């Protein structure tokens, strides 16, 4: 911007002041929108802001400080933190609804002290240490579910996803939704379609996360068979007792 010139609104969001000249848009845009649309494949090599993008992508290679996940099934909160050279952290926290909506929410910090980070984590008693690859798989599937349903990926996720590391190499196979019991077994196509239908209905009704949300629970053939075996065993024991 030329000194003394009043900044106009960003041509993309039309909300914040446009202080960065975008060669691709041929207009001034805000720093947030710049971060969202900036892409080495599309932006000119002489773009002044591509270097900062490269720096962000390198964050995914920083040493892991913590990889955490909540234990309750269905709705998983995943936290991945990496330690910077100065000892401070960057972290991303992702909420994934495994049973219905997929990737649902996200927040994080680009720069936070270990003390403040640990204090933040202590507020959630259900976090346990987790495997980074397992977390990436859950997040990748969450993205696929949300995109399949046509749900919006949180803006914060786009800004912080570099902290996760490379997701391109993470393979998501099998049915869109997995068994609600074991989290691994595939579900039949008709069940997957039913889950999608129920989810979109609840989203449209605005009842997700409320008492009015439709409660569903589907299991794979293996888990169903194991449950039936247990029930038969209980019946036999009850008969012997009688």
């Amino acid at each position: 911007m030329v000194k003394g010139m009043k900044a106009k609104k960003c041509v993309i969001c039309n909300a914040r002041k446009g202080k960065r000249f975008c060669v691709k848009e041929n207009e001034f845009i805000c720093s947030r929108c710049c971060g969202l649309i900036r892409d080495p494949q599309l932006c000119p090599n002489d773009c002044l802001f591509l270097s900062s993008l490269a720096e962000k992508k390198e964050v995914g290679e920083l040493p892991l400080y913590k990889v955490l996940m909540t234990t309750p099934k269905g709705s998983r909160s995943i936290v991945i933190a990496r330690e910077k050279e100065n000892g401070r952290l960057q972290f991303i926290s992702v909420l994934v609804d495994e049973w219905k909506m997929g990737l649902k929410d996200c927040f994080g910090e680009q720069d936070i002290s270990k003390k403040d980070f640990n204090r933040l984590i202590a507020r959630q008693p259900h976090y346990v240490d987790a495997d980074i690859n397992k977390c990436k798989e859950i997040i990748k599937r969450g993205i696929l579910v949300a995109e399949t349903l046509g749900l919006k990926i949180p803006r914060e996720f786009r800004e912080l996803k570099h902290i996760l590391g490379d997701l391109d190499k993470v393979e998501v196979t099998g049915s869109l939704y997995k068994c609600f019991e074991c989290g691994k077994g595939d579900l039949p196509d008709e069940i997957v379609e039913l889950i999608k239908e129920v989810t979109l209905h609840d989203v449209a009704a605005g009842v997700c996360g409320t008492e009015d949300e439709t409660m569903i629970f589907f299991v794979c053939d293996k888990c169903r068979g194991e449950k039936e075996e247990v029930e038969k065993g209980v019946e036999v024991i009850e008969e012997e007792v009688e």
Side-chain angles (χ1 to χ4, degrees), residues 134-197:
K134 177 62 177 177
C135 290
K136 284 184 177 182
E137 182 183 346
I138 292 175
I139 293 172
K140 185 72 173 286
R141 185 175 296 279
I143 296 171
L144 179 60
V145 169
E147 290 179 341
T148 300
L149 294 173
L151 303 179
K152 188 176 181 180
I153 301 296
R155 182 193 66 228
E156 292 81 1
F157 179 78
R158 300 184 188 279
E159 297 174 351
L160 297 166
K161 65 180 181 179
H162 58 275
I163 300 174
L164 298 172
D166 189 6
L167 286 179
D168 293 336
K169 297 179 181 179
V170 178
E171 293 187 2
V172 176
T173 59
S175 58
L176 181 64
Y177 294 97
K178 293 294 185 178
C179 172
F180 289 14
E181 181 62 37
C182 68
K184 298 178 181 179
D186 287 332
L187 297 175
D189 291 342
E190 58 269 24
I191 295 298
V192 170
E193 290 303 315
L194 178 58
I195 296 173
K196 289 163 61 177
E197 181 180 342

Side-chain angles (χ1 to χ4, degrees), residues 26-135:
N26 197 33
E27 290 284 357
F28 284 96
I29 62 177
C30 67
S31 58
R32 184 180 293 275
C33 287
C34 175
L36 291 175
I37 69 170
R38 199 159 66 234
D39 190 325
Q41 303 298 323
L42 301 176
C43 298
N45 292 330
D46 58 351
C47 173
L48 298 175
F49 306 104
L50 276 180
S51 59
S52 60
L53 176 65
E55 290 173 0
K56 277 191 173 183
K57 287 191 173 182
E58 290 175 1
V59 172
E61 304 302 321
L62 291 176
L64 287 168
Y65 177 72
K66 286 284 185 181
V67 179
L68 304 167
M69 181 165 60
T70 51
T71 52
K73 299 175 182 178
S75 185
R76 300 278 193 180
S77 177
I78 296 172
V79 176
I80 296 176
R82 294 183 182 272
E83 185 171 355
K84 301 191 290 184
E85 292 183 358
N86 61 5
R88 293 175 68 83
L89 307 176
Q90 289 191 333
F91 82 92
I92 180 172
S93 176
V94 182
L95 179 62
V96 179
D97 180 356
E98 296 179 285
W99 294 351
K100 295 177 78 174
M101 295 177 64
L103 199 155
K104 190 175 181 180
D105 201 2
C106 175
F107 75 95
E109 292 285 349
Q110 299 282 7
D111 187 73
I112 186 173
S113 69
K114 291 179 180 178
K115 181 179 179 180
D116 288 341
F117 172 79
N118 291 327
R119 184 185 296 121
L120 181 66
I121 295 302
R123 297 174 186 171
Q124 173 55 268
H126 299 296
Y127 277 122
V128 295
D129 291 331
D131 176 70
I132 180 67
N133 294 319
K134 177 62 177 177
C135 290

